[in-house]
Amino acid sequence: CLGWGSQSSKVHIHHSTWLHFPGHNLRWILTFILLFVLVCEIAEGIVSDGVSESRHLHLYMPPGMAFLAAITSIVYYHNIETSNFPKLLIALLVYWTLAFITKTIKFVKFYDNDVGPLQLRFCLTGFLVILYGMLLIVEINVIRVRRYVFFKKPKEVKPPEDLQDLGVRFLQPFVNLLSKGTYWWMNTFIKTAHKKPIDLKAIGKLPIAMRAVTNYTCLNEAFEAQKSKNTPYPQGSTSIWHALCCAFGRPLVLSSTFRILADLLGFAGPLCISGIVHHVGKGNNTFRPQTKILGVFFISSPEFLANAYVLAVLLFFALLLQRTFLQASYYVAIETGINLRGAIQTKIYNKIMLLSTSNMSMGEMTAGQICNLVAIDTNQLMWFFFLCPNLWAMPVQIVVGVILLYYLLGFSALIGAVVIIVLVPVQYFVATKLSQAQRSTLEYSNERLKKTNEMLRGIKLLKLYAWENIFHSRVEETRQKEMTSLKAFALYTSISIFMNAAIPIAAVLITFVVHAHLFENADFSPSVAFASLSLFHILVTPLFLLSSVVRSTVKALVSVQKLSEFLSSEEIGEEYDRCLEPKCKDSISKYQAVPLKVVNRKRPTKEDWKSYSSPTRRPVSNTEADDYCVKVINGFFTWTPEGPPALANIDIQIPQGQLTMIVGQVGCGKSSLLLGVLGEMQKVSGSVIWNSSIPDSETGEDVSQEKETAIDTENRKRGPVAYASQKPWLLNATVEENITFESPFNKQRYEAVIDACSLQPDIDILPHGDQTQIGERGINLSGGQRQRISVARALYQQTNVVFLDDPFSALDIHLSDHLMQEGILNMLRNDKKTIVLVTHKLQYLPHADWIIAMKDGTIQREGTLKDIQKSESELFEHWKTLMNRQDQELEKETITERKTVLDMKTLQRTAHSRETLLKDDDEDEDETPETDDEEDNLSSLLHQRAKMPWQACGKYLSTAGFLLLPLLVLSQLLKHTVMVSIDFWLAQWTSDAISTKVGKNLNCSVCEATTFNHSPYSRVFSILSCLGIILCFVTSIAVEWTGLKVAKKLHSYLLNKIILAPMRFFETTPLGSILNRFSADCNTIDQHIPKNIDFKTLIVFRDLQQLDDSTQLPLLSHFSETVEGLTTIRAFRYETRFKQKLLEYTDSNNIASLFLTAANRWLEVRMEYIGACVVLIAAVASITNSLYNQLSSGLVGLGLTYALMVSNYLNWMVRNLADMELQLGAVKRINGLIKTDAENYDGLLSPAQIPQNWPDQGEIQIQNLSVRYDSTLKPVLKHVNAHISPGQKIGICGRTGSGKSSFSLAFFRMVDSFEGKIIIDDIDIAKLPLQTLRSRLSIILQDPILFSGTIRFNLDPEKKCTDSMLWEALEIAQLKHVVKALPGGLDAIVTEGGENFSQGQRQLFCLARAFVRKTSIFIMDEATASIDMATENILQKVVMTAFADRTVVTIAHRVNTILNADMVIVMKRGVILEYEKPEILLEQEGSVFASFVQADK
């Protein structure tokens, strides 16, 4: 075993990296310098050899050999390092020693022969001695540290943990210097990415140093240090800045250093060009070396640098280095920014976990603000850190640039610089205006989105009422406003683009004209002109960046201010009560060690149940003292510290293992009491004591791992409580995950819970059963379903205490009975759990073991029902009357649960994908299982670079119209032509000037005659420059104008198409994805594409834009979920799990960002290197050409200046293509939607052929009607025949899914009637135009839909009715008093979705809306479902009287509502079973209708 032992087979590791040897980076740097010095030595040898007559090989052969040796040494070293076999390094030790000795001897020899520091070769040899000496020292150091030779015991080393973990694919921190600088390790990754798209797996994990935990710990330590330093004010924004700098300052300094180095190297370009052009002008062979020693010429440094070829090679090296440094600076800054963002997000999240609920509810901190803090402010800080290096680098760059210009041009340079600097404030002004315009655009587009959203959500209603045009114009109106502010935005953007292009032209123009005319004898040679031209180009960049850096700094300051406010907000009181008896400590540990299994003998039937319910159970306690689970002594609780207590004088005991009910009127503090006991409220005085002798019945494993230590240290505070809040809180996860809520899955218990909450039917409707993703905030479930899932979670948990806050509120009577019996009594109570139930349903009081009656924030009574009957007989009687009333309600309720076909459809369509924000409808991945969306960004950047969506591009440009398109193309072509001609003219001018001068020097006799006349040249130059400036303006305006026109057209096309699309389209396309077209894609088309069509903009890290979406969505939704479910999470004691989840999300977001950055750097470094090679080739070619073919020196300068710009453009182009492609994706997607077919709105009859007041009778004949939702689906109505005479009241009933609702939709042609026909008043409705048909009928839907606006707008958006008609309709709908009381009456505001009215009131508004349209046919689709009995009875009477002469079709969900109809239709599976008068049907034996009525009793 030769010493491979240290990398034994046990340690799996990435093959290409290993622990670096000591001095690793230093060795690489020294080797690079060594290689450079050797190249210089070779060049020097060749140059001095070229001077002498005979060949002297010894001048450049040895350095050539040394060069090869140096390369070999580093390759050899790298291989030894990756295989970790240090013994082989002895070879290198020997080589360095020999090299050092020989070079020293040579140096001494030179010194003896009087070769001094003036000669270049002497200096080079001296350098080599130093370098070899240092390399030798590095080598010896490796022996000293690793002890692999000359020592008895070599040192054992292990590679870093990250590398042993094969999941880490991000190798940047571990590879060697060369690979770090050129991102060589990415090659394999990019090759695989090219073959198959990248997903999260391919990216792997983050290295430890970059994980959010590491950075958070680092940041937190810095915070703590700040706190201890200045105790009086622990958290002002300054201290946050200090902490940030302390934690993340070092990499920033590194990045800034790289940046400054890169900028300084950037000046090598102009200087080398100046030198090359100068020497080419002189013929490149102007010198003879004076020094000749030992028969060999020695040349000095200035002579060496006077060779054009040498300068070309130097320029090449300078470019390579500069680009490498620049990319390194970007990379370090971005990596730091990403780490910082991760740390701050974690910090915010940990703070959220401690926020006191009161400042959430009192509105000091809204969920929206917190989400903004995470989404926007952390990103602002991250951007600031990206741009930070520019802050220090820019001044350096500007100062050096101006000094160099002065050195080249003298005084006139300052004039040009002044022009640039004076225009900077203008730039800044434009930039601020731009951001203002953007802000106002954002406000309008938010408003437009709100309206679009409402329109899409209520699309069914709009179609049924034929109101599409009204809402269409509402959206268009907002879009108009948005377009005005977009115009301002476009104007400022074009000015800013114009200035970027025009300032350098103007500066150059002024400088050169002044220089040529004012200074008669000025040196106006090509070398000066082109050097200063490239200097101006360099100078302009930092000045443009300036505005964005300043803006970013201001934003960062604001963000830190917000952050400090947030971090110093109120926290929840962490007072936990001490354990009462000391003995409890050992008792706890005993219970946790051995999970007892206590069998409940009373109920042997449930034996199977017991066997798997919670493993730890408390034995029945003997002493009465232990019998409470929690007691509150003299408690005063408040929400706000200053305010009056919300709960006063609370003295309660909640008995252990029993069912306690809390009752009382609305708003008397029942929920507050639960929260107070859970420690969510601020306790003014008193104490809450949890009985600590209950072992925590979390499942065994959980306790042992997470909780064991905590339990022993913190004298037994309260254990987890399963808590179901009043407003159900759901996670963005599958139904099953919502119920199990991180507990281990137990099939039997899970099924029992599902049954108790009667969730099975609901789960069956969902597209993927209980694996369906619930969209954020449970969007795709009804209120009752959400509530039941929330309760199911509480039932499923293995905790000893269960708090249920009004679990019955959104459930109908059967569901609540079932839940009470099966869930609360059979599952929880028989499990001896402590249950606290807040409820309004007094009929359940007899089940309670203990009752707490509350009134106005105090306890009215507590005790058993018997106690209360004895002591508070009034209260008991009051309860009794209420109970009776509720029991009567129970009789009237129906057994059939109202869930119609439509409900199922909407469910299927919305549950179809997770809020569908993550998926686009045009990628056909609806069928695939949910894929992680991370892949999209990276792979689209790396994978799809090949295919540009030319079709979309064509579509985009053709939308612009035939006038703008030629203008756009021509102006761009002209602009670039003029730009080139300006530079060409400059070359001509300076060449002529210098040739005159050279001529002048030759024939001095006629010296006076030939002063060079600059005027004609400068005149042409001025004209061309002005033309260039004008064209810049024209093109920038043309581009923005095109962009605006296209944006306007595409949006209106889209809106027109969508609003006319058939209903089926909305049922099958997720709403989120349609909205996304209107929001994200329209935004891209409005603001981003125009910038990219202009073929020259400034890009600052555009790559980071694409990252936002996929990995950030889960992260942000996790934040908003946490904020909403804070109380639940804390009640369950799940803080650590949620923090863990956050870290995972953050890390996956960050790893994607990092890979994207690295991939961009990889691409750019390669592009830059190609650019450097282009410059080298151009330089060598033009020098040779000029020396042998007399190419004028002006053109050499021109060629080199352009070659330098090529490398910038290469990068820019590749990047823009990738961007463009992503953005044209938006056009492609919108096009996809524009292609949808509209409904057929034109009828066969013209408006003139339809009677004005049709249908005046209201007679309906249905002949052999068959209906289906889509040509691919089965029919929902089959061969239905019916005849309804004018003025009849028809009732339709049937089980869920029997086709009742489809029947009503057929009248409006919302569904596809493929057979038979409906004739209303002698006109076949298939022949009518849709608009006419739908506007002459009325329908009330089961889901009440209100729009934001006024009440008047909601009742009559067409503005056809007088106020008196509206009041009359409101009176019929029993709403007159409600509306009268509102401020503004009919003009009172309705919020979005009618949230400011209750469900019942909304339904009544919809009734009123239908009454306003005085049509003779009136259809009610289960319209009274959410209205209480009393109001419903009044309504039935009113409908009968107010509509005595109209035909009314009622679809009923409570059969008793249609008992007094004229005719009843009973449907089953799309067929009419019975069609008779209700009285007759009730008498018939075995009639289905009769059985329905029976069941309803």
Side-chain angles (χ1 to χ4, degrees), residues 610-781:
K610 280 282 141 222
S611 57
Y612 66 79
S613 73
S614 28
T616 45
R617 225 350 115 238
R618 77 186 173 96
V620 182
S621 62
N622 330 345
T623 51
E624 282 302 300
D626 270 7
D627 242 17
Y628 64 91
C629 154
V630 58
K631 68 178 171 194
V632 180
I633 304 171
N634 193 12
F636 283 81
F637 297 96
T638 171
W639 284 115
T640 49
E642 311 75 63
L647 300 175
N649 277 329
I650 305 289
D651 271 304
I652 53 167
Q653 291 205 25
I654 291 176
Q656 176 71 53
Q658 293 185 325
L659 170 57
T660 306
M661 287 198 192
I662 304 181
V663 291
Q665 287 171 332
V666 177
C668 68
K670 301 183 295 295
S671 302
S672 304
L673 181 62
L674 287 190
L675 293 175
V677 172
L678 286 173
E680 291 288 330
M681 289 178 74
Q682 293 176 350
K683 185 163 60 177
V684 185
S685 62
S687 53
V688 178
I689 301 167
W690 286 80
N691 185 350
S692 44
S693 59
I694 324 161
D696 188 3
S697 72
E698 278 284 306
T699 41
E701 44 172 2
D702 269 11
V703 176
S704 54
Q705 291 163 9
E706 293 175 28
K707 308 238 165 83
E708 191 70 90
T709 48
I711 282 166
D712 289 343
T713 49
E714 289 200 343
N715 272 342
R716 194 60 193 153
K717 51 187 190 189
R718 73 169 173 83
V721 173
Y723 168 72
S725 55
Q726 199 167 2
K727 189 177 156 213
W729 170 69
L730 300 184
L731 285 170
N732 220 339
T734 62
V735 177
E736 181 193 305
E737 284 164 354
N738 262 299
I739 294 176
T740 56
F741 201 51
E742 312 260 337
S743 304
F745 184 72
N746 175 332
K747 193 154 195 287
Q748 260 175 304
R749 179 155 189 106
Y750 180 69
E751 280 168 5
V753 169
I754 292 255
D755 170 60
C757 298
S758 10
L759 277 167
Q760 201 50 53
D762 307 86
I763 287 177
D764 294 340
I765 298 176
L766 295 172
H768 309 294
D770 61 5
Q771 296 306 313
T772 309
Q773 289 276 359
I774 298 179
E776 194 174 354
R777 300 209 185 94
I779 291 252
N780 46 18
L781 298 176

Side-chain angles (χ1 to χ4, degrees), residues 1299-1335:
K1300 307 187 296 283
S1301 295
S1302 315
F1303 194 83
S1304 63
L1305 292 178
F1307 290 119
F1308 293 85
R1309 290 182 30 209
M1310 294 285 275
V1311 283
D1312 172 19
S1313 318
F1314 61 99
E1315 238 183 303
K1317 51 189 173 184
I1318 300 179
I1319 297 174
I1320 300 182
D1321 283 1
D1322 309 324
I1323 296 182
D1324 179 356
I1325 64 168
K1327 293 180 179 161
L1328 290 168
L1330 276 183
Q1331 196 75 19
T1332 317
L1333 167 67
R1334 290 175 182 172
S1335 60

Side-chain angles (χ1 to χ4, degrees), residues 743-854:
S743 304
F745 184 72
N746 175 332
K747 193 154 195 287
Q748 260 175 304
R749 179 155 189 106
Y750 180 69
E751 280 168 5
V753 169
I754 292 255
D755 170 60
C757 298
S758 10
L759 277 167
Q760 201 50 53
D762 307 86
I763 287 177
D764 294 340
I765 298 176
L766 295 172
H768 309 294
D770 61 5
Q771 296 306 313
T772 309
Q773 289 276 359
I774 298 179
E776 194 174 354
R777 300 209 185 94
I779 291 252
N780 46 18
L781 298 176
S782 70
Q785 289 165 326
R786 289 161 59 189
Q787 182 124 36
R788 295 204 306 273
I789 290 181
S790 169
V791 173
R793 174 194 303 152
L795 295 184
Y796 183 84
Q797 297 308 312
Q798 298 277 346
T799 51
N800 255 342
V801 188
V802 182
F803 281 12
L804 301 172
D805 192 350
D806 205 357
F808 306 121
S809 58
L811 310 184
D812 66 36
I813 215 118
H814 300 281
L815 293 176
S816 15
D817 277 356
H818 186 74
L819 174 60
M820 183 74 203
Q821 194 51 48
E822 290 300 313
I824 295 172
L825 298 176
N826 294 359
M827 285 183 76
L828 298 180
R829 192 148 123 208
N830 295 331
D831 247 8
K832 284 280 181 285
K833 297 204 175 180
T834 308
I835 313 147
V836 181
L837 174 68
V838 171
T839 183
H840 289 288
K841 307 247 175 187
L842 299 176
Q843 67 265 37
Y844 298 143
L845 280 178
H847 295 300
D849 301 316
W850 192 254
I851 296 170
I852 298 176
M854 293 192 67

Side-chain angles (χ1 to χ4, degrees), residues 261-272:
L261 279 173
D263 286 344
L264 292 179
L265 277 167
F267 290 116
L271 292 177
C272 287

Side-chain angles (χ1 to χ4, degrees), residues 182-400:
T182 56
Y183 309 92
W184 195 259
W185 59 273
M186 287 281 293
N187 290 0
T188 46
F189 177 77
I190 285 181
K191 271 181 206 138
T192 50
H194 201 73
K195 293 188 189 102
K196 63 176 202 280
I198 300 166
D199 51 2
L200 261 181
K201 258 198 240 59
I203 303 182
K205 291 188 227 159
L206 269 174
I208 292 171
M210 296 173 187
R211 290 188 190 157
V213 187
T214 327
N215 290 308
Y216 167 66
T217 336
C218 179
L219 183 65
N220 225 14
E221 278 165 12
F223 263 106
E224 294 309 318
Q226 280 302 318
K227 265 190 199 166
S228 54
K229 241 188 261 172
N230 42 3
T231 21
Y233 306 102
Q235 288 187 330
S237 45
T238 41
S239 77
I240 292 191
W241 279 115
H242 279 301
L244 287 178
C245 293
C246 176
F248 298 104
R250 285 178 57 192
L252 268 191
V253 172
L254 183 68
S255 171
S256 307
T257 316
F258 282 153
R259 184 58 199 264
I260 290 174
L261 279 173
D263 286 344
L264 292 179
L265 277 167
F267 290 116
L271 292 177
C272 287
I273 289 183
S274 156
I276 290 175
V277 176
H278 183 72
H279 299 315
V280 165
K282 290 190 182 156
N284 199 28
N285 43 9
T286 44
F287 69 95
R288 299 284 308 161
Q290 281 75 45
T291 332
K292 192 173 183 183
I293 301 171
L294 311 175
V296 184
F297 286 108
F298 280 78
I299 55 178
S300 62
S301 318
E303 289 164 344
F304 178 61
L305 288 179
N307 187 314
Y309 288 111
V310 171
L311 283 177
V313 175
L314 272 181
L315 174 62
F316 173 66
F317 279 123
L319 277 180
L320 283 186
L321 253 187
Q322 184 227 348
R323 300 311 193 187
T324 313
F325 277 141
L326 189 64
Q327 296 300 339
S329 156
Y330 284 162
Y331 173 78
V332 175
I334 291 177
E335 187 194 279
T336 313
I338 290 173
N339 285 343
L340 168 107
R341 184 181 62 180
I344 290 186
Q345 279 170 347
T346 318
K347 178 96 183 137
I348 292 176
Y349 194 77
N350 286 351
K351 175 73 184 186
I352 290 178
M353 283 299 189
L354 299 173
L355 272 188
S356 75
T357 352
S358 58
N359 45 2
M360 301 281 298
S361 54
M362 303 319 280
E364 286 172 40
M365 265 288 163
T366 61
Q369 278 172 309
I370 294 179
C371 290
N372 275 352
L373 203 61
V374 176
I376 298 167
D377 293 327
T378 52
N379 277 350
Q380 296 288 13
L381 272 179
M382 175 172 83
W383 276 96
F384 171 70
F385 268 62
F386 293 167
L387 294 171
C388 209
N390 292 321
L391 271 180
W392 338 123
M394 276 175 192
V396 176
Q397 203 173 3
I398 293 172
V399 169
V400 176

Side-chain angles (χ1 to χ4, degrees), residues 1054-1342:
L1054 181 63
L1055 192 63
N1056 288 334
K1057 271 292 202 263
I1058 290 294
I1059 198 145
L1060 300 181
M1063 202 54 221
R1064 177 78 192 152
F1065 169 75
F1066 297 100
E1067 281 163 10
T1068 50
T1069 317
L1071 190 117
S1073 90
I1074 304 179
L1075 264 181
N1076 240 357
R1077 296 301 144 270
F1078 277 105
S1079 56
D1081 293 344
C1082 274
N1083 183 21
T1084 305
I1085 289 173
D1086 288 348
Q1087 296 184 9
H1088 296 304
I1089 294 189
K1091 285 192 198 143
N1092 270 6
I1093 296 185
D1094 185 49
F1095 299 110
K1096 179 172 162 204
T1097 44
L1098 227 184
I1099 299 198
V1100 191
F1101 310 122
R1102 277 303 307 283
D1103 42 338
L1104 287 152
Q1105 292 298 322
Q1106 277 91 49
L1107 259 186
D1108 276 359
D1109 326 339
S1110 57
T1111 47
Q1112 235 177 349
L1113 264 177
L1115 183 67
L1116 295 182
S1117 66
H1118 183 66
F1119 266 94
S1120 55
E1121 261 169 25
T1122 306
V1123 174
E1124 283 184 2
L1126 205 47
T1127 39
T1128 313
I1129 296 173
R1130 288 204 286 233
F1132 274 94
R1133 287 262 173 264
Y1134 267 15
E1135 291 98 334
T1136 33
R1137 297 185 186 193
F1138 273 76
K1139 286 177 187 170
Q1140 199 44 48
K1141 227 181 208 159
L1142 169 89
L1143 292 175
E1144 283 164 26
Y1145 285 139
T1146 313
D1147 284 348
S1148 69
N1149 186 8
N1150 289 354
I1151 184 79
S1153 311
L1154 277 171
F1155 256 102
L1156 191 55
T1157 308
N1160 271 309
R1161 298 287 86 73
W1162 178 89
L1163 183 75
E1164 284 178 22
V1165 164
R1166 276 151 190 63
M1167 285 292 152
E1168 305 278 24
Y1169 287 174
I1170 292 174
C1173 294
V1174 170
V1175 173
L1176 179 67
I1177 294 167
V1180 172
S1182 56
I1183 293 168
T1184 314
N1185 214 351
S1186 168
L1187 292 183
Y1188 298 114
N1189 303 349
Q1190 297 307 307
L1191 180 70
S1192 83
S1193 53
L1195 289 178
V1196 174
L1198 181 68
L1200 287 178
T1201 313
Y1202 272 35
L1204 264 184
M1205 283 158 76
V1206 161
S1207 63
N1208 295 347
Y1209 278 140
L1210 261 177
N1211 231 328
W1212 185 85
M1213 201 182 82
V1214 169
R1215 238 167 160 182
N1216 248 18
L1217 281 178
D1219 263 3
M1220 224 13 214
E1221 177 198 2
L1222 280 170
Q1223 291 170 357
L1224 284 173
V1227 180
K1228 198 171 90 191
R1229 287 192 291 271
I1230 284 187
N1231 257 348
L1233 275 195
I1234 289 182
K1235 289 201 185 86
T1236 48
D1237 301 323
E1239 277 184 287
N1240 182 13
Y1241 272 81
D1242 314 325
L1244 299 169
L1245 302 173
S1246 66
Q1249 293 169 293
I1250 305 161
Q1252 203 50 58
N1253 52 357
W1254 175 92
D1256 44 1
Q1257 301 292 309
E1259 179 190 18
I1260 305 173
Q1261 290 171 321
I1262 300 170
Q1263 303 169 358
N1264 194 22
L1265 181 71
S1266 298
V1267 163
R1268 59 189 172 192
Y1269 276 89
D1270 190 65
S1271 48
T1272 55
L1273 300 176
K1274 294 197 199 89
V1276 282
L1277 292 181
K1278 305 170 191 121
H1279 310 297
V1280 173
N1281 287 293
H1283 178 256
I1284 299 169
S1285 39
Q1288 265 192 339
K1289 311 287 177 280
I1290 303 290
I1292 304 181
C1293 60
R1295 280 287 158 94
T1296 301
S1298 57
K1300 307 187 296 283
S1301 295
S1302 315
F1303 194 83
S1304 63
L1305 292 178
F1307 290 119
F1308 293 85
R1309 290 182 30 209
M1310 294 285 275
V1311 283
D1312 172 19
S1313 318
F1314 61 99
E1315 238 183 303
K1317 51 189 173 184
I1318 300 179
I1319 297 174
I1320 300 182
D1321 283 1
D1322 309 324
I1323 296 182
D1324 179 356
I1325 64 168
K1327 293 180 179 161
L1328 290 168
L1330 276 183
Q1331 196 75 19
T1332 317
L1333 167 67
R1334 290 175 182 172
S1335 60
R1336 307 278 177 93
L1337 308 177
S1338 305
I1339 183 167
I1340 304 177
L1341 290 173
Q1342 62 188 31

